[in-house]
Amino acid sequence: MNYKKLINELDKSKIPRHIAIIMDGNGRWAKKHKTKRINGHKEGVKAVRRIVETAVEAGVEYLTIYAFSTENWGRTKTEVSYLLKLIMDSLVKEIDELIKNNVNIRFIGSREKLDESYNKRVMETCKKSWKNTGLHLNVAMNYGGRKELLDAFNEILADARSGSKLDGEITEKIVSDYLYTAGMPEVDLVIRTSGEERLSNFLIWQSAYAEFWFTQTLWPDFSREEFIRAMLDFQQRKRRFGTR
Ligand code: IPE
Ligand code: IPE
Ligand code: MG
């Protein structure tokens, strides 16, 4: 079915506010097509483009995509440097179009291990979009859920020691406010492609009550239609949050 028709089937009052996507399977896509892994990543960028556009059309408020994990440093030097460059180049290439679509984009993750010049360039490029009021697109770059929590705890500790704020006990609200996603709604729906069914250290705090949706489709093949089907499926779920 044409994806525009499918979008009309969505209940507009029940669009997941925050969708998180673990974009997996670029390497296997490349293998299947008898080409280099890097070509799988390149093809994966095209999928990002269509999924972001579709999220805008569907009226999703927050979309967080897993681009590079704190564990991905363990890949070969060639693949790591290719990925870092591809992510930066894609941001620079797409920023004008994203701005035109009223997208507000930010990178979330640790700044450690990345060059200061890299972080600066990301920040300066993203900044141009911060007045936008449409989709909030978070690119999880050098992101790890445990690292995010450790960063939060250490900042809480520092603030408590300096006595400026935080003199009572640590609450869920305080932890949430120190995460990279401070001020954003919790994750409603986690999508993972390529048949793997695990979180791989992605948004572990924010996904505590998320719905999960898995598909065998490899990330470069993930279509607008399938993305909308995941949202339609989400709309059929009965979320109970521990109540009966
Ligand atoms: C996801 O594809 C992209 C990143 C992790 C950066 P993979 O590179 O993990 O692809 P597979 O899992 O090897 O197929
Ligand atoms: C998770 O995928 C990270 C990203 C999609 C960026 P991986 O391919 O790195 O995860 P594992 O190793 O299969 O758990
Ligand atoms: Mg993988």
Side-chain angles (χ1 to χ4, degrees):
M1 194 193 282
N2 173 300
Y3 91 92
K4 296 252 184 208
K5 271 196 198 146
L6 211 52
I7 267 193
N8 289 330
E9 287 185 20
L10 284 167
D11 177 346
K12 287 285 176 192
S13 70
K14 277 207 309 205
I15 301 290
R17 286 188 72 196
H18 190 167
I19 301 180
I21 306 185
I22 303 170
M23 313 184 286
D24 201 8
N26 295 350
R28 278 160 284 169
W29 184 93
K31 197 168 178 197
K32 196 173 138 190
H33 292 268
K34 298 193 170 45
T35 181
K36 288 189 248 157
R37 286 182 68 85
I38 58 170
N39 291 325
H41 296 313
K42 217 198 267 175
E43 201 62 26
V45 174
K46 296 186 194 161
V48 173
R49 196 164 204 265
R50 13 178 226 275
I51 295 314
V52 170
E53 281 172 9
T54 312
V56 169
E57 285 180 73
V60 174
E61 283 178 69
Y62 290 84
L63 178 68
T64 304
I65 53 175
Y66 210 178
F68 190 90
S69 76
T70 46
E71 287 72 37
N72 287 149
W73 293 103
R75 298 190 179 196
T76 64
K77 226 176 141 188
T78 324
E79 185 171 350
V80 168
S81 42
Y82 182 82
L83 278 168
L84 299 190
K85 185 169 167 7
L86 180 70
I87 292 165
M88 174 70 85
D89 289 353
S90 308
L91 170 71
V92 171
K93 194 164 154 246
E94 299 293 336
I95 190 74
D96 291 340
E97 192 65 24
L98 288 164
I99 291 174
K100 232 193 276 166
N101 276 312
N102 200 19
V103 175
N104 187 317
I105 178 166
R106 63 183 67 233
F107 274 42
I108 62 166
S110 170
R111 296 166 68 97
E112 287 165 29
K113 286 198 185 173
L114 291 167
D115 289 348
E116 212 25 70
S117 61
Y118 192 95
N119 288 321
K120 202 169 154 227
R121 190 140 181 244
V122 164
M123 168 87 109
E124 279 167 3
T125 313
C126 289
K127 227 180 187 165
K128 299 193 222 160
S129 76
W130 289 351
K131 279 199 207 83
N132 287 350
T133 54
L135 173 73
H136 291 266
L137 174 64
N138 300 318
V139 178
M141 171 65 189
N142 192 19
Y143 175 89
R146 289 184 177 175
K147 174 70 177 146
E148 179 181 37
L149 284 167
L150 288 180
D151 284 352
F153 298 153
N154 282 314
E155 264 188 64
I156 292 171
L157 193 62
D159 282 349
R161 281 187 177 142
S162 72
S164 53
K165 29 188 173 168
L166 300 171
D167 44 11
E169 60 178 21
I170 296 174
T171 60
E172 288 192 10
K173 166 89 170 76
I174 292 172
V175 174
S176 298
D177 287 347
Y178 277 80
L179 297 179
Y180 308 142
T181 54
M184 302 180 194
E186 290 201 359
V187 173
D188 295 306
L189 173 62
V190 175
I191 295 174
R192 183 167 189 152
T193 57
S194 86
E196 311 298 344
E197 302 190 352
R198 54 176 172 264
L199 264 182
S200 302
N201 204 10
F202 194 38
L203 300 171
I204 52 180
W205 175 279
Q206 299 89 334
S207 296
Y209 257 104
E211 297 292 326
F212 287 81
W213 198 85
F214 300 110
T215 174
Q216 294 293 326
T217 306
L218 303 173
W219 176 251
D221 293 328
F222 195 60
S223 66
R224 296 170 190 266
E225 290 78 6
E226 198 170 9
F227 182 41
I228 301 162
R229 289 201 191 282
M231 287 190 257
L232 283 165
D233 196 24
F234 168 87
Q235 294 190 330
Q236 299 305 315
R237 309 258 181 111
K238 173 92 182 76
R239 299 180 84 188
R240 281 188 285 272
F241 300 100
T243 63
R244 55 189 296 256

